[in-house]
Amino acid sequence: MRQSTDWAKERFAEARVARLGTVSAGGRPRVVPIVFALLGDTLVTGVDGKPKSSAHLQRIENIASNPKVSVLVDHYDDDWTQLWWARADGDARVIDEDAGVRAALVARYDQYREFALPGPFIVIEVAGWSGWSAV
Amino acid sequence: MRQSTDWAKERFAEARVARLGTVSAGGRPRVVPIVFALLGDTLVTGVDGKPKSSAHLQRIENIASNPKVSVLVDHYDDDWTQLWWARADGDARVIDEDAGVRAALVARYDQYREFALPGPFIVIEVAGWSGWSAV
């Protein structure tokens, strides 16, 4: 059943990982896992210091040519009455540095004490929250 | 580190859930969770009998106007040395019925004994498999 905006935001507030969908200039989608933090209706994520290939940064190129993004958190269980998902749709921009964004990510993930977070950062203004649960 | 096509296909073969990214005619991405089955380099998923709103079928409309899709499986762990993801990128088509596709989904998910699977089905010809693991 459809769930409220508040319900969807709560699912994001609790989730440790989400999946970000972006679109290339040629109209091809790309889905990648992200860690993230919420600042009201703004969802932020960083490009951290884990080993990446250059292709991994396609998301940055995509946002430069098309700012529209979709972010999903969901719960899978083999008991399908337990399924749910929440989605945040909006527009993204890429910034090199922002103290507030960095602080929000470091506060949420202790792992950033060990893993570098050089940026850039992706800042998503969420225009629509949606959610669904099986029961 | 980058992983092989075979590695990525193995991750899909083991995963119970994936996330499907599609793109609307207006260039807006949408990410939804899916259950799926693999038939070689073809990934198939159904629109099952769980309660859906009409908006939930946006994925079908999207594929009709833009067949490009991206499908992700990933593993999150608070120990970031355990992270991995695998992605299948390709082109999708929507079909009303296919006995082989239906059988593959029912064979993989016992849940379809209880949950209706009326179709339509989404059939994705995967053109590129990619994968990454932290270690």
Side-chain angles (χ1 to χ4, degrees):
Chain A
M1 66 186 69
R2 276 311 222 200
Q3 296 288 345
S4 68
T5 290
D6 284 348
W7 182 94
K9 291 177 76 165
E10 283 166 22
R11 298 292 82 69
F12 272 83
E14 293 164 1
R16 296 294 281 166
V17 63
R19 286 84 194 181
L20 168 69
T22 61
V23 184
S24 75
R28 180 165 285 289
R30 173 170 290 231
V31 184
V32 296
I34 59 168
V35 296
F36 66 95
L38 272 186
L39 298 164
D41 282 310
T42 303
L43 191 153
V44 300
T45 182
V47 176
D48 56 49
K50 296 194 298 297
K52 304 279 178 177
S53 75
S54 58
H56 210 121
L57 301 177
Q58 181 74 40
R59 75 191 78 168
I60 300 291
E61 271 184 47
N62 286 2
I63 290 168
S65 66
N66 178 350
K68 300 184 185 81
V69 300
S70 180
V71 187
L72 179 80
V73 300
D74 67 88
H75 173 69
Y76 181 79
D77 192 296
D78 275 326
D79 174 359
W80 285 2
T81 67
Q82 301 304 306
L83 301 182
W84 59 259
W85 57 259
R87 197 173 55 234
D89 293 295
D91 285 359
R93 64 183 194 280
V94 176
I95 58 174
D96 283 335
E97 181 58 76
D98 182 286
V101 167
R102 175 183 293 276
L105 287 164
V106 172
R108 193 152 194 257
Y109 294 96
D110 285 346
Q111 292 87 345
Y112 280 128
R113 295 177 190 173
E114 289 179 57
F115 288 83
L117 182 58
F121 301 94
I122 298 170
V123 177
I124 300 166
E125 305 299 338
V126 179
W129 298 94
S130 48
W132 175 88
S133 66
V135 291
Chain B
M1 65 186 69
R2 276 312 221 200
Q3 297 289 347
S4 69
T5 289
D6 284 348
W7 182 94
K9 290 177 76 165
E10 284 166 20
R11 297 293 81 70
F12 272 83
E14 293 164 1
R16 297 293 282 168
V17 64
R19 286 84 194 181
L20 168 68
T22 61
V23 184
S24 75
R28 179 165 288 286
R30 173 171 289 233
V31 183
V32 296
I34 59 168
V35 296
F36 66 95
L38 271 185
L39 299 164
D41 282 310
T42 302
L43 192 153
V44 300
T45 183
V47 176
D48 56 50
K50 296 195 297 299
K52 305 279 178 177
S53 76
S54 59
H56 210 123
L57 301 177
Q58 182 74 40
R59 77 190 76 167
I60 300 291
E61 269 183 47
N62 285 2
I63 290 168
S65 65
N66 178 348
K68 299 185 184 82
V69 300
S70 180
V71 187
L72 179 79
V73 300
D74 67 87
H75 173 69
Y76 181 78
D77 192 297
D78 275 325
D79 173 0
W80 285 3
T81 67
Q82 300 304 307
L83 301 181
W84 59 259
W85 56 257
R87 195 171 58 233
D89 294 295
D91 285 359
R93 64 182 193 281
V94 176
I95 59 174
D96 283 336
E97 180 58 74
D98 181 286
V101 167
R102 174 183 294 277
L105 288 164
V106 171
R108 193 151 194 258
Y109 294 96
D110 284 347
Q111 292 87 346
Y112 281 127
R113 295 177 191 173
E114 289 180 55
F115 288 83
L117 181 59
F121 301 94
I122 298 170
V123 177
I124 300 167
E125 304 300 338
V126 180
W129 298 93
S130 48
W132 175 88
S133 66
V135 291

